[in-house]
Amino acid sequence: MRSRRIAPVLAVSTVAALVPALTPATASAAAAPKATTAVDPLKQYTQQKPRWKRCGARTPAGFQCATVKVPLDYARPGGKKIDIAVSRMKATSAKERRGVLLLNPGGPGGEGLDMPLFLASELPASVKKRYDLIGFDPRGVGRSSPVSCGLKNSERNWERPYKAATFDKDVKWARTVAEKCRAKGGEALVQFTTRNTARDMDVVRAVLGEKKISYLGYSYGTYLGAVYTQMFPKRTDRFVLDSAVDPQRIWRGMIQVWAEGAEPAFTRWTEWTAKRHTTYKLGDTPAKVRTTFWDLVARADRKPIDLDGTPVTGDDIRSGRAMFFDPVNAAEAVAELKKAAAGRKPAPSGGRSASPSPVPPSFARAVPWDNGDASFWAVVCADTRSWPRDPEQYRRDAIRDKARYPLYGDFASNIKPCAFWKQGPEQATRIDNKVGALVLQNEWDSQTPLASGQGLRRAMKGSRMVTVLGGEGHGIYGSKSCADKTATTYLTTGKLPTKDLTCRNTSAQRNDRLRLPLPTPPGIPGMTGAHDRF
């Protein structure tokens, strides 16, 4: 989703042949008729010697950080350089060490430098014995030459419902964000793509002195991992892809899949809630629960509901579609809305409060405050050239999808800044390899629904998939899920299951969620998760 042409055609063909394998190129026979001299355009990057140092005074001494230089544009490796911030925690057993395990928490725009420290308490000892845990902020994110669009706070809200009266304003907003990003980031912004991040990962591999890398990626990190396997299959060791993005739907389709996934989750929620009418008083049949919900939406559309001092509109309620993947959270949130609409004061807690997420130390506070948004749009808009350019296409799609998927269809299909983004230098990566990998997927994942995980499994023909039946939430490995044993066995022995598997969590496992350290915008009180990204 970036726009920028790679100048000479010769440079394109040469880099396409050289960069994916990060191996030396051979000079043409015409240029050297008697003898050829191997020329490695990336030698200055792959032979760096990182200067490791303690990441921070308050972090463990064994948690080390370094900076690696990579080319901004791999078609011009002699041009501008950018930084990639890398961290590591060494394997706990030199004897049993296998190699490195690169980690990515998702996004696009998620900072990964803290991941080794975060997952050190979540991963089993057998994995930590065998791998150096390697974190990194992807290019443009956090401490890795962070990008910015100079956005105002009012320009960051991209979950916009379609309304005929406000569509022109939405178009103006999308155009303004794209223009600001182009003005602030310039031509360089189109280089902050998933393909280039995968190339950065391979430079890191070379700098660490490894022939191959293993990898654990969550959410968007699954797509990044899949792209790496496609570009560098011979460098790929053991890859765990957790809560998967469907590579066939990059990127507009992955936003639209949220709307598709919300409808069956909503139906499931109405059935669950109807059985608990004495607790929540939202209706004793699924139809009555559904009526209660949509009556609240209509009521809030006429006049916002005062929820503990926060005005909540009908569109606000619909934008909280992710809550329906967790029936308890949704029932409590809607019950509180119902009380507030009737003029009764909600419970002091505003409904069930989630356990606080661990807050690992941050090493990226001196970054632009809109870095998460800027890096998100940079990847989402420049990874592919499939975004429609005509605003009227978005209008038609939003009207159509609001009818198909009443909860979130118009939000998902309404216009985005990508409509006005300069096209990227490369097409989206087609994932169709037979590289072995393990895909983990919850049945009721709110951000990457089951169909999305199944899409990645189909694309990676050599992979195997573990589906957690009844599994809720986004992120599995490290949560003491029933899928953990299979993932650990694969990482420690290299053995994939002979076929796709299903498992079901125990009640104790259902209450132990993995909480990834991802920066996410605040949601509506009582509707947590509404604004999460991939």
Side-chain angles (χ1 to χ4, degrees):
M1 305 181 162
R2 271 105 209 218
S3 64
R4 182 158 190 271
R5 294 184 180 177
I6 301 177
V9 175
L10 179 60
V12 175
S13 59
T14 303
V15 173
L18 303 182
V19 174
L22 288 179
T23 55
T26 303
S28 68
K34 293 184 179 180
T36 58
T37 303
V39 178
D40 181 359
L42 296 176
K43 182 177 180 180
Q44 61 176 307
Y45 302 103
T46 59
Q47 295 189 5
Q48 295 176 79
K49 301 298 180 185
R51 298 174 59 186
W52 294 102
K53 60 182 179 180
R54 188 172 182 171
C55 289
R58 298 182 180 180
T59 62
F63 184 40
Q64 299 176 311
C65 289
T67 299
V68 173
K69 296 287 185 182
V70 297
L72 170 68
D73 182 351
Y74 277 86
R76 299 179 177 85
K80 183 178 179 180
K81 300 175 177 64
I82 60 173
D83 293 336
I84 301 298
V86 182
S87 63
R88 75 175 179 186
M89 295 186 77
K90 289 185 177 181
T92 58
S93 171
K95 182 179 179 180
E96 298 179 67
R97 182 186 181 277
R98 176 178 178 80
V100 296
L101 182 68
L102 269 67
L103 308 168
N104 182 274
E111 299 172 19
L113 202 64
D114 297 343
M115 286 294 285
L117 191 60
F118 176 80
L119 284 176
S121 61
E122 309 293 330
L123 296 179
S126 58
V127 171
K128 292 183 286 186
K129 283 181 181 180
R130 288 168 172 80
Y131 297 98
D132 296 349
L133 303 182
I134 305 296
F136 66 101
D137 285 348
R139 59 168 49 204
V141 177
R143 281 182 58 185
S144 294
S145 299
V147 295
S148 170
C149 293
L151 299 179
K152 299 176 183 177
N153 191 47
S154 60
E155 294 166 336
R156 299 177 65 201
N157 178 24
W158 59 278
E159 289 191 293
R160 293 168 179 260
Y162 172 77
K163 296 181 186 299
T166 59
F167 183 69
D168 287 346
K169 291 182 179 179
D170 293 338
V171 172
K172 182 179 179 181
W173 161 81
R175 190 190 304 274
T176 298
V177 170
E179 289 176 349
K180 281 194 169 186
C181 289
R182 188 178 304 132
K184 187 84 170 177
E187 292 295 308
L189 197 60
V190 299
Q191 297 299 333
F192 292 86
T193 61
T194 299
R195 286 180 64 85
N196 278 340
T197 299
R199 292 175 175 126
D200 296 341
M201 287 169 55
D202 208 53
V203 169
V204 170
R205 173 202 59 76
V207 168
L208 295 177
E210 302 290 334
K211 293 182 178 180
K212 295 184 176 184
I213 61 170
S214 292
Y215 178 83
L216 170 59
Y218 297 89
S219 198
Y220 161 70
T222 65
Y223 179 62
L224 173 59
V227 169
Y228 185 91
T229 68
Q230 191 72 26
M231 296 176 68
F232 306 97
K234 294 182 179 180
R235 312 291 194 193
T236 299
D237 197 7
R238 300 169 184 175
F239 272 47
V240 176
L241 308 177
D242 188 322
S243 307
V245 167
D246 183 350
Q248 299 298 320
R249 304 193 64 159
I250 298 301
W251 273 110
R252 191 179 186 219
M254 275 307 303
I255 295 175
Q256 290 172 320
V257 83
W258 293 348
E260 297 171 30
E263 294 301 323
F266 180 69
T267 297
R268 172 177 177 255
W269 171 75
T270 63
E271 295 166 352
W272 184 93
T273 304
K275 296 175 182 178
R276 295 160 178 80
H277 175 61
T278 56
T279 301
Y280 300 110
K281 297 180 175 55
L282 296 176
D284 57 7
T285 68
K288 289 180 181 178
V289 174
R290 184 179 292 268
T291 296
T292 297
F293 174 80
W294 285 109
D295 283 350
L296 283 170
V297 171
R299 155 78 170 77
D301 275 338
R302 293 191 299 271
K303 181 181 179 182
I305 297 171
D306 184 348
L307 183 63
D308 200 20
T310 300
V312 177
T313 68
D315 292 330
D316 290 333
I317 297 172
R318 290 194 301 120
S319 75
R321 50 92 205 171
M323 69 180 177
F324 293 107
F325 291 82
D326 182 339
V328 178
N329 178 58
E332 293 186 353
V334 175
E336 292 299 327
L337 278 170
K338 183 181 177 183
K339 291 178 184 177
R344 285 177 281 168
K345 210 165 182 179
S349 63
R352 183 181 64 166
S353 59
S355 302
S357 300
V359 181
S362 172
F363 307 99
R365 291 307 180 200
V367 300
W369 82 298
D370 69 336
N371 176 240
D373 300 87
S375 54
F376 175 79
W377 290 123
V379 171
V380 167
C381 295
D383 259 3
T384 175
R385 299 174 182 175
S386 63
W387 284 92
R389 313 300 285 184
D390 179 8
E392 288 304 311
Q393 180 68 54
Y394 292 88
R395 183 199 297 271
R396 291 191 295 270
D397 291 351
I399 293 171
R400 177 200 66 197
D401 288 346
K402 186 172 184 178
R404 286 180 178 177
Y405 314 113
L407 267 178
Y408 199 75
D410 54 326
F411 285 91
S413 292
N414 201 0
I415 196 161
K416 306 291 187 290
C418 303
F420 305 103
W421 212 268
K422 282 190 66 178
Q423 290 190 338
E426 298 179 281
Q427 294 280 5
T429 305
R430 179 180 176 82
I431 307 298
D432 59 359
N433 62 61
K434 295 183 179 180
V435 175
L438 184 65
V439 179
L440 306 181
Q441 187 68 40
N442 274 329
E443 182 180 12
W444 294 102
D445 188 330
S446 61
Q447 303 309 112
T448 52
L450 179 59
S452 178
Q454 292 168 336
L456 180 61
R457 168 64 182 91
R458 285 192 300 271
M460 298 188 69
K461 300 172 182 62
S463 66
R464 295 292 182 269
M465 181 170 172
V466 181
T467 303
V468 181
L469 298 178
E472 300 169 349
H474 191 50
I476 298 173
Y477 191 45
S479 66
K480 299 180 177 62
S481 162
C482 62
D484 280 15
K485 183 178 179 180
T486 303
T488 297
T489 298
Y490 170 57
L491 285 174
T492 54
T493 69
K495 295 180 180 179
L496 279 171
T498 56
K499 60 181 181 179
D500 292 345
L501 304 175
T502 60
C503 67
R504 190 177 293 275
N505 288 332
T506 64
S507 58
Q509 289 169 327
R510 283 195 295 270
N511 292 326
D512 193 349
R513 305 280 180 79
L514 176 68
R515 302 184 185 280
L516 297 177
L518 282 175
T520 54
I524 303 165
M527 301 184 188
T528 56
H531 299 267
D532 290 349
R533 292 175 178 166
F534 299 102

